[in-house]
Amino acid sequence: MLRSDRFNKADRVIRIGFWANAVLMVLKLAAGHYGHSDAVFADGVESACDFIAIGMTLIALKVGRKPYDSDHPYGHGKVESLSAIFVSLVIAATGAWILYGATTTMLEGHYATPALVAVVAAAGTIVAKEALYRYSMKVGGSLGSPALLAIAKDHRKDAITSVATLVGVGGAYFGVGIMDPIAAGLTSFFIFHIGYHTFRTSAHELMDGQPEQSLLDAISHIARSVEGVDQVHEIRARHSGQYLIVDLKLEMPPEMTVKRSHDIATEVKRRIFEHFSNVGDVMIHINPSDEPHEDLIRL
């Protein structure tokens, strides 16, 4: 997949979520206000927060799609992880706001009776947000985009929140007013979990954490399959947005010429690119295979 195609697909997913959130925000705010449901109105305010978060992600993708330059020799992909961190904080703040509102309502003991339009708005949001979650996860997973995966989890958070909203507003509609704040309060803890998981994953990538071991093993297997490579001495990789940057140390016969070892290293890199569309660069260091080597490192 071409680099431009990757970012165009990501842009499409984000824009669909952006405008869907805008429509849901207006509908839920109106349904909550005219349907006399604090829970649905709060859901609309939450969508407004998501609207801002998705807008920030759009900006991040615009910056992240820039190719490497002299100031950023590894590209601009890290901005996607920064954006995901921001989204995780919005998710956590939303959870705290919902928990505060639910607690305040229960302490005050004033429970409104909502109209049917509020119940319908909550049900419609569940369907829309779950569809957006599945679509965003499918594309985000195929691209390995931290920004898209964070937005997908935000959609799932909204779907879970709306389930609680539906239970609460439905119970209140049939006369059990306290169900609304109880359901909202319980949902806030699920939201905290989603925000924490998103933050932890993005922070891991920002700190150049290793990707899954299975992926590293697959890359090592391809490198070893090239004729002339005796062994993979070491492999390291780190995320840069939708791409991986891989560092390989290969062992080759000591009598091999520089030209021959260079050609083999180029073939290793070519095969890795062929098998993994999300690998952005491969740096290869060659060691002689007939003697032990001590790595010089200060990290």
Side-chain angles (χ1 to χ4, degrees):
M1 185 187 300
L2 295 176
R3 192 173 190 279
S4 58
D5 293 337
R6 295 179 66 90
F7 283 98
N8 286 339
K9 287 184 70 173
D11 277 345
R12 191 178 308 118
V13 174
I14 295 294
R15 290 182 188 281
I16 289 173
F18 182 78
W19 291 112
N21 240 71
V23 172
L24 288 172
M25 175 184 67
V26 173
L27 290 177
K28 286 189 287 187
L29 288 174
H33 176 73
Y34 294 108
H36 310 293
S37 171
D38 290 340
V40 174
F41 189 83
D43 215 12
V45 174
E46 180 188 353
S47 290
C49 295
D50 295 337
F51 187 74
I52 296 171
I54 294 175
M56 290 296 295
T57 305
L58 274 171
I59 296 172
L61 282 174
K62 184 175 182 180
V63 175
R65 73 186 301 158
K66 294 180 181 179
Y68 70 92
D69 54 36
S70 58
D71 290 331
H72 303 88
Y74 296 102
H76 299 77
K78 291 288 186 184
V79 72
E80 286 200 38
S81 296
L82 284 172
S83 171
I85 289 282
F86 176 80
V87 172
S88 73
L89 296 177
V90 171
I91 292 174
T94 301
W97 184 78
I98 291 174
L99 181 60
Y100 173 78
T103 303
T104 301
T105 299
M106 286 189 286
L107 290 175
E108 293 177 350
H110 300 302
Y111 310 119
T113 301
L116 181 61
V117 65
V119 180
V120 173
T125 300
I126 296 171
V127 176
K129 280 296 186 174
E130 183 63 20
L132 285 169
Y133 164 75
R134 293 175 183 271
Y135 174 53
S136 301
M137 277 298 291
K138 181 179 179 181
V139 179
S142 67
L143 297 178
S145 169
L148 282 188
L149 293 175
I151 288 298
K153 290 171 184 174
D154 191 57
H155 289 319
R156 168 55 64 87
K157 176 263 297 180
D158 291 342
I160 293 173
T161 303
S162 295
V163 168
T165 300
L166 179 61
V167 172
V169 75
Y173 180 74
F174 289 106
V176 189
I178 197 173
M179 284 186 65
D180 194 339
I182 288 177
L186 291 174
T187 302
S188 66
F189 291 101
F190 287 101
I191 293 173
F192 287 140
H193 174 73
I194 293 172
Y196 168 73
H197 185 269
T198 303
F199 180 88
R200 186 179 65 177
T201 301
S202 302
H204 178 75
E205 293 173 355
L206 279 174
M207 295 177 68
D208 290 336
Q210 287 269 52
E212 315 82 57
Q213 187 59 45
S214 58
L215 176 59
L216 299 180
D217 291 342
I219 294 174
S220 295
H221 177 73
I222 290 174
R224 286 194 301 270
S225 69
V226 177
E227 184 179 356
V229 176
D230 290 339
Q231 190 56 261
V232 175
H233 176 67
E234 184 183 355
I235 178 171
R236 296 187 296 184
R238 53 200 170 99
H239 286 273
S240 180
Q242 299 177 27
Y243 287 102
L244 282 176
I245 299 174
V246 180
D247 296 327
L248 273 175
K249 294 181 181 179
L250 305 179
E251 295 183 2
M252 297 184 189
E255 69 277 2
M256 189 177 288
T257 64
V258 172
K259 175 67 168 61
R260 176 61 179 151
S261 62
H262 169 77
D263 291 342
I264 292 173
T266 301
E267 177 63 16
V268 169
K269 186 171 183 177
R270 185 186 65 79
R271 292 193 189 183
I272 291 173
F273 278 172
E274 285 180 351
H275 284 82
F276 300 96
S277 62
N278 64 326
V279 172
D281 195 12
V282 182
M283 299 298 294
I284 297 177
H285 176 79
I286 299 169
N287 292 322
S289 58
D290 66 338
E291 60 184 46
H293 2 274
E294 179 181 351
D295 292 326
L296 300 177
I297 187 169
R298 281 182 169 172
L299 297 178

